């Protein structure tokens, strides 16, 4: 079992810098995402923006992934390839972005509602985003990893939605995925203790229908088992006493929207 790496205050500031660049990249996506544009156009924009800011897209060539963004429409949960898909009114488009700058990673994801989305999708997005907030509220010194998962799971399931089990959040630092794993379900008081110096990505992946997912033969694309829509929000955070320090931000995205 690989160990958890604790970060110094200086290292946390470097992770914050990378995480804010991710947020700025997602805000650039927010400026242009609309019906009629292809997902590959968004990917090219992100690649150029990240490169122009002296960083490297974290996902590009990661275990062979060919793009800078993971873009997952509607029933795709995560890890969708940008390509010829033309975004339509009523789509949910989950965009996951990571960068590495000064040897440290940042990671964040946002689900965009395109035009007028139906009531089910609207509720799914609101609930998933609130799940992230509830998870972050538990991410403080003295709590355990299971407290985060419990908070996410309880709220999602109370709203009639399915919590994806097979994909999890993770530690963030000099690697994109470090220990500990941060599941979106769990028992209060279980799992590793949260301590100062830990930096983690919390990322609820919530399905409108059943929790089950399908892994596709391309080795990346994941869809909901019943083809109902899925939503995904993610922040990189540092564990502190009393209140988590959120290193990425949605405010830049929402100012645009």
């Amino acid at each position: 079992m690989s160990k958890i790496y604790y970060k110094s205050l200086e290292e946390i500031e470097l992770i914050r810098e990378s995480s804010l660049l991710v947020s700025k990249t997602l805000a650039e996506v927010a400026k242009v995402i609309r019906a009629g544009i292809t997902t590959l156009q968004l990917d090219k924009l992100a690649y150029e923006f990240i490169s122009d800011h002296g960083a490297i897209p974290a996902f590009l060539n990661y275990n062979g992934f060919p793009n800078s963004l993971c873009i997952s429409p509607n029933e795709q949960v995560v890890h969708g390839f940008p390509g010829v898909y033309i975004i339509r009114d009523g789509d949910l488009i989950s965009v996951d972005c990571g960068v590495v700058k000064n040897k440290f990673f940042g990671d964040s994801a946002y689900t965009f509602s395109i035009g007028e989305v139906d009531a089910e999708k609207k509720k799914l997005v609101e609930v998933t985003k609130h799940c992230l907030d509830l998870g972050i509220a538990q991410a403080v010194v003295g709590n355990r990893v299971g407290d985060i998962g419990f908070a996410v799971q309880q709220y999602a399931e109370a709203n009639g939605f399915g919590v994806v089990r097979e994909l999890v959040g993770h530690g963030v630092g000099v690697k994109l995925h470090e220990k500990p794993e941060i599941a979106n379900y769990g028992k209060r008081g279980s799992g590793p203790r949260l301590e100062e110096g830990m930096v983690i990505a919390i990322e609820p992946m919530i399905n409108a229908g059943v929790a089950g997912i399908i892994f596709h033969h391309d080795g990346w694309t994941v869809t909901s088992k019943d083809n109902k829509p899925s939503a995904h929000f993610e922040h990189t955070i540092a564990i502190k006493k009393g209140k988590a320090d959120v290193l990425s931000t949605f405010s830049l995205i929402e100012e645009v929207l």
Side-chain angles (χ1 to χ4, degrees):
M1 185 178 156
S2 54
K3 64 177 188 175
I4 294 168
Y5 288 97
Y6 296 88
K7 282 79 180 175
S8 67
L9 292 174
E10 291 78 13
E11 288 171 331
I12 288 170
E13 289 312 308
L14 291 171
I15 299 170
R16 189 192 311 276
E17 193 181 334
S18 295
S19 298
L20 287 174
L21 180 54
V22 172
S23 302
K24 288 172 185 171
T25 306
L26 290 171
E28 290 299 305
V29 168
K31 288 176 186 174
V32 299
I33 193 168
R34 63 182 186 279
I37 198 170
T38 69
T39 51
L40 190 60
Q41 285 172 280
L42 300 176
D43 187 68
K44 286 178 176 168
L45 175 147
Y47 174 79
E48 287 167 11
F49 186 81
I50 293 165
S51 302
D52 287 348
H53 285 77
I56 298 164
F59 303 163
L60 186 60
N61 301 319
Y62 180 83
N63 292 339
F65 190 80
N67 297 98
S68 301
L69 298 175
C70 296
I71 305 183
S72 309
N74 300 315
E75 75 281 357
Q76 289 189 18
V77 180
V78 284
H79 303 161
F81 293 110
V84 297
Y85 182 83
I86 298 169
I87 294 170
R88 297 177 301 230
D89 255 340
D91 277 350
L92 290 188
I93 306 288
S94 297
V95 183
D96 193 352
C97 179
V99 308
V100 57
K101 188 175 184 184
N102 301 319
K103 298 182 182 170
F104 284 91
F105 285 83
D107 194 6
S108 183
Y110 195 90
T111 297
F112 294 90
S113 300
I114 309 300
E116 287 298 313
V117 300
D118 64 35
E120 180 184 54
K121 286 179 176 174
K122 193 173 181 186
K123 183 183 177 189
L124 176 66
V125 166
E126 286 169 358
V127 167
T128 306
K129 198 162 173 235
H130 193 55
C131 283
L132 176 57
D133 293 337
L134 292 170
I136 289 170
Q138 295 298 318
V140 293
V141 171
N143 276 0
R144 290 184 178 270
V145 165
D147 296 318
I148 298 172
F150 178 83
V152 171
Q153 179 184 11
Q154 190 183 45
Y155 188 71
E157 291 180 350
N159 280 279
F161 295 141
V163 179
V164 173
R165 299 288 200 279
E166 298 88 341
L167 302 156
V168 295
H170 49 89
V172 180
V174 291
K175 292 182 180 172
L176 180 59
H177 297 113
E178 297 184 354
K179 292 292 179 189
E181 291 191 340
I182 311 293
N184 293 305
Y185 63 96
K187 291 181 180 168
R188 277 190 182 136
S190 68
R193 188 179 292 280
L194 299 171
E195 296 175 40
E196 204 131 6
M198 290 170 73
V199 177
I200 60 174
I202 301 176
E203 50 177 322
M205 291 156 268
I206 308 296
N207 295 343
V210 299
I213 58 173
I214 296 168
F215 290 93
H216 289 253
H217 293 306
D218 61 22
W220 288 100
T221 310
V222 180
T223 57
S224 61
K225 200 168 185 179
D226 56 8
N227 276 324
K228 285 197 157 193
S230 187
H232 177 212
F233 286 91
E234 175 183 21
H235 272 316
T236 297
I237 67 150
I239 304 296
K240 301 274 181 177
K241 289 177 183 159
K243 190 180 181 190
D245 184 6
V246 183
L247 306 179
S248 46
T249 180
F250 291 153
S251 64
L252 301 173
I253 300 164
E254 284 159 5
E255 279 167 24
V256 173
L257 299 175

